[in-house]
């Protein structure tokens, strides 16, 4: 029987995983500087958390849920996104209480699951990094969080980015705009794709999200939501734009950009990349915005019920990162390569490896009995700093031979010296 991984999943092999670690560590470091702290919620949630949190009419809930009934007949789903779980946790753990950070600034890194038709860049298990600022009122939060995303991309070497923003205004503003959109699209319904016809029924704003060519032509002429904002919403949007300019962040306003979740209001934004890996298609690598009503929906207090967040797909960010960096990340080089030359040398090699690793150095020792020439070839290839040779002569004399690979110099070291004061012996080795 031959097994294959499930459709739409990937094995991240060690050479790739190094890049993932770099990306994730960079996120942790960057977000930490902005006073964001990690949260880890379960991989699965009650179905209702997602269906209520994301919205019944979204593609995620209506088509893409990886849901099932467990042995206790509970309706469970693998999480398709991170915001609803984080808000569920915020309310359940009363993270709005006085002893917690306010606004509550958090990030998550992990796998998400959507039952989609797998294709290039579209998986059933994919990975997201997301952040949420829960209980944040001010435009400063929006701008700080967008700046943080750009700072993160900069640290990854992703420089060719484009920031696009829009405002969805308040719930009332959206209600007016929704009607205007229905008035505009209604007479054209026959020309819309099937998907957009369905969206027009359920959630007209989402028609603007359509990727269909002919839909796009129609959408171009659609009314702008910016004409339906009240003065308060306009002021907020102007503040966001003013702050972005103060920070020297270049951006465009796209009045037809909407987001898929039902709870978005006011600022929405996307960061796009045209990196070569995307084959000439301007691709969104980070998307988010301000949302309200979700905390209350989950039973939390209204006074904190305005938040800002974004999510990015790691697989996509990786494509942009690789396109703009020619040096792929390598695994770290061994400090010491142990060449055990006889079967009897193996246990001394293992003891030495343990001692060296306790001193926080990286050791390569594979316990395959090889000749010296084969060991040296591998040590060279791995770019080891030192080689420790252990053969019959060394075993008999309670010593090891050290070769400094940079200078080519060799010297014997007694086991007694190494064991009694490893660091001073090591210092002498690297200065050979
Ligand atoms: P799309 O319109 O491409 O389906 P989306 O609106 O469903 O995107 P979001 O829910 O905003 O995407 O998720 C944020 C990011 O997560 C996306 O920009 C993308 O990078 C990534 N993403 C979403 N779905 C998938 C998937 N099935 N496979 C890989 N990455 C994904
Ligand atoms: Mg999608």
């Amino acid at each position: 029987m031959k097994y294959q991984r499930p459709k739409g999943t990937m094995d991240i092999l060690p050479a790739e995983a190094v890049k993932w670690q770099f990306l994730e560590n960079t996120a942790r470091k960057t977000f930490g500087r902005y006073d964001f702290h990690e949260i880890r919620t379960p991989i699965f949630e009650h179905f209702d958390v997602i269906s209520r949190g994301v919205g019944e009419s979204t593609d995620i809930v209506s088509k893409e849920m990886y849901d099932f009934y467990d042995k206790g007949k509970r309706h469970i789903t693998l999480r398709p996104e991170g915001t609803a779980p984080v808000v569920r946790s915020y309310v359940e753990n009363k993270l709005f209480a006085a002893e917690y950070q306010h606004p509550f600034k958090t990030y998550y890194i992990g796998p998400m699951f959507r039952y989609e038709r797998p294709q290039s860049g579209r998986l059933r298990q994919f990975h997201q990094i997301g952040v949420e600022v829960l209980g944040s009122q001010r435009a400063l939060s929006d701008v700080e969080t967008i700046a943080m995303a750009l700072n993160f991309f900069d640290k990854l070497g992703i420089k060719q980015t484009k920031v696009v923003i829009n405002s969805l205004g308040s719930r009332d503003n959206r209600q007016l705009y929704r009607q205007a959109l229905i008035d505009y699209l209604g007479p054209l319904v026959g020309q819309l794709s099937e998907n957009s016809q369905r969206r027009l029924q359920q959630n007209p704003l989402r028609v603007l999200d359509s990727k269909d060519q002919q839909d796009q032509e129609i959408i171009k002429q659609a009314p702008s939501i910016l004409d339906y904002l009240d003065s308060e919403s306009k002021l907020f949007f102007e503040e966001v734009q003013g702050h972005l300019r103060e920070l020297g962040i270049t951006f465009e306003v796209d009045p037809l950009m909407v987001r898929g979740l039902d709870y978005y209001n006011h600022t929405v934004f996307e960061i796009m990349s045209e990196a070569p890996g995307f084959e000439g298609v301007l691709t969104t690598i980070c998307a988010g915005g301000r949302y309200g009503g979700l905390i209350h929906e989950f039973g939390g207090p209204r006074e904190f019920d305005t938040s800002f967040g974004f999510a990015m797909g790691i697989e996509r960010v990786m494509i942009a990162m690789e396109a703009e960096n020619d040096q792929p990340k390598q695994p770290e080089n061994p400090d010491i390569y142990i060449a055990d030359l006889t079967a009897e040398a193996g246990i001394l090699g293992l003891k030495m490896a343990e001692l060296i690793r306790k001193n926080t150095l990286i050791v390569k020792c594979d316990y395959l009995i090889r000749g010296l020439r084969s060991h040296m070839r591998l040590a060279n290839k791995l770019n080891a700093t030192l080689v420790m040779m252990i053969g019959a002569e060394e075993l008999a004399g309670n010593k090891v031979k050290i070769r400094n690979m940079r200078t080519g110099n060799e010297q014997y070291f007694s086991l007694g010296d190494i064991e009694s004061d490893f660091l001073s012996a090591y210092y002498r080795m690297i200065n050979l």
Side-chain angles (χ1 to χ4, degrees), residues 15 50 68 133 175 189 202 276 320 364 400 403 405:
I50 307 296
F68 58 96
V133 189
Q175 217 45 44
V189 66
Q202 294 176 340
K364 167 78 180 179
V400 297
R403 180 185 175 90
M405 297 294 277

Side-chain angles (χ1 to χ4, degrees), residues 59-60 64 114 116 122 211:
D59 284 352
I60 291 180
E64 299 169 359
R114 297 186 192 176
E116 301 203 65
R122 203 166 280 285
K211 291 172 189 98

Side-chain angles (χ1 to χ4, degrees), residues 60 114 116 121-123 126 128 211 259 284 311 313 316:
I60 291 180
R114 297 186 192 176
E116 301 203 65
R122 203 166 280 285
L123 293 154
F126 63 102
Q128 280 188 345
K211 291 172 189 98
R259 301 287 317 140
T284 302
R316 247 185 235 179

Side-chain angles (χ1 to χ4, degrees), residues 11 17 19 36 40 43 66 86-87 105 129 163 188 222 229 235-236 256 273 276 336 374 379 389 427-428:
D11 296 317
K19 298 175 203 158
F36 279 73
R40 301 190 189 198
I43 299 289
Y66 241 109
V86 168
V87 175
K105 295 163 80 175
I129 298 180
V163 180
L188 304 170
L229 301 187
L235 200 66
F236 191 86
L256 295 174
S273 159
I336 302 190
S374 152
M389 290 166 261
Y427 184 73
R428 279 180 280 132

Side-chain angles (χ1 to χ4, degrees), residues 96-363:
F96 43 78
E99 67 257 42
Y100 297 105
Q101 183 195 28
H102 184 72
F104 189 77
K105 295 163 80 175
T106 191
Y107 69 88
Y108 55 85
I109 302 178
M112 303 293 164
F113 306 85
R114 297 186 192 176
Y115 199 82
E116 301 203 65
R117 198 161 61 81
Q119 46 190 295
S120 149
R122 203 166 280 285
L123 293 154
R124 289 184 173 173
Q125 174 174 334
F126 63 102
H127 301 79
Q128 280 188 345
I129 298 180
V131 317
E132 313 293 347
V133 189
L134 300 167
S136 78
Q137 306 276 352
R138 301 186 63 192
L140 290 166
S141 272
D142 306 27
V143 173
E144 179 181 64
T145 311
I146 294 171
M148 181 172 82
L150 289 169
N151 191 347
F152 170 61
F153 288 136
D154 187 71
K155 291 281 182 296
L156 295 181
I158 301 174
K159 315 270 182 190
Q160 300 163 35
T161 49
K162 183 172 156 184
V163 180
V164 182
I165 62 169
N166 190 24
S167 172
L168 302 183
S170 68
R171 191 175 284 258
D172 290 347
N173 301 161
R174 272 199 312 289
Q175 217 45 44
L176 287 177
Y177 178 62
R178 189 186 137 96
Q179 193 52 53
L181 208 52
I182 293 172
D183 293 345
Y184 168 73
L185 291 172
L188 304 170
V189 66
Q191 298 169 45
L192 290 174
S193 69
E194 214 175 294
N195 212 356
S196 288
Q197 293 188 12
R198 187 177 50 82
R199 285 172 168 181
L200 186 57
Q201 295 287 325
Q202 294 176 340
N203 186 349
L205 259 69
R206 302 229 47 237
V207 175
L208 303 182
D209 244 356
S210 169
K211 291 172 189 98
D212 182 274
Q213 273 291 309
Q214 199 179 332
D215 289 355
Q216 277 298 328
E217 288 305 310
I218 296 172
I219 291 162
K220 267 191 210 153
Q221 311 294 324
S224 159
I225 191 159
L226 298 178
D227 295 331
Y228 294 82
L229 301 187
D230 58 31
S231 55
E232 212 177 308
S233 298
K234 271 192 188 135
L235 200 66
F236 191 86
F237 192 39
E238 270 156 27
E239 238 186 295
V240 168
Q241 296 180 58
H243 295 339
L244 284 170
R245 282 191 205 100
E246 287 277 348
L247 293 190
I249 295 172
T250 315
F251 61 91
E252 279 174 27
V253 175
D254 176 359
L256 295 174
M257 185 177 76
V258 295
R259 301 287 317 140
L261 304 186
D262 289 348
Y263 288 91
Y264 277 104
N265 57 31
H266 298 289
T267 322
V268 291
F269 80 101
E270 293 191 3
I271 300 174
M272 312 212 219
S273 159
E274 216 169 352
F278 298 126
E279 287 153 6
V281 183
L282 191 61
T283 301
T284 302
I285 53 173
C286 175
R290 182 160 278 285
Y291 54 94
L294 196 50
I295 290 173
H296 180 70
E297 174 74 39
F298 285 160
R302 278 218 190 269
E303 55 186 306
F304 299 111
D305 201 0
T306 165
S307 309
F308 191 90
F310 67 68
M312 46 196 159
I314 298 185
E315 285 83 357
R316 247 185 235 179
V317 174
M318 194 75 77
I319 291 173
M321 182 173 98
E322 291 190 340
E324 290 196 49
N325 292 276
D326 8 294
Q327 278 298 316
K329 284 270 161 305
Q330 298 290 342
E332 281 188 87
N333 308 331
D335 297 298
I336 302 190
Y337 179 102
I338 297 182
D340 48 342
L341 299 163
T342 68
E344 292 71 32
I347 182 61
L348 181 54
L350 173 56
K351 276 170 76 179
M352 284 292 112
E354 282 294 286
L355 174 69
I356 300 164
R357 286 173 184 140
K358 276 186 190 139
N359 283 280
T360 69
L361 297 171
I362 301 173
V363 176

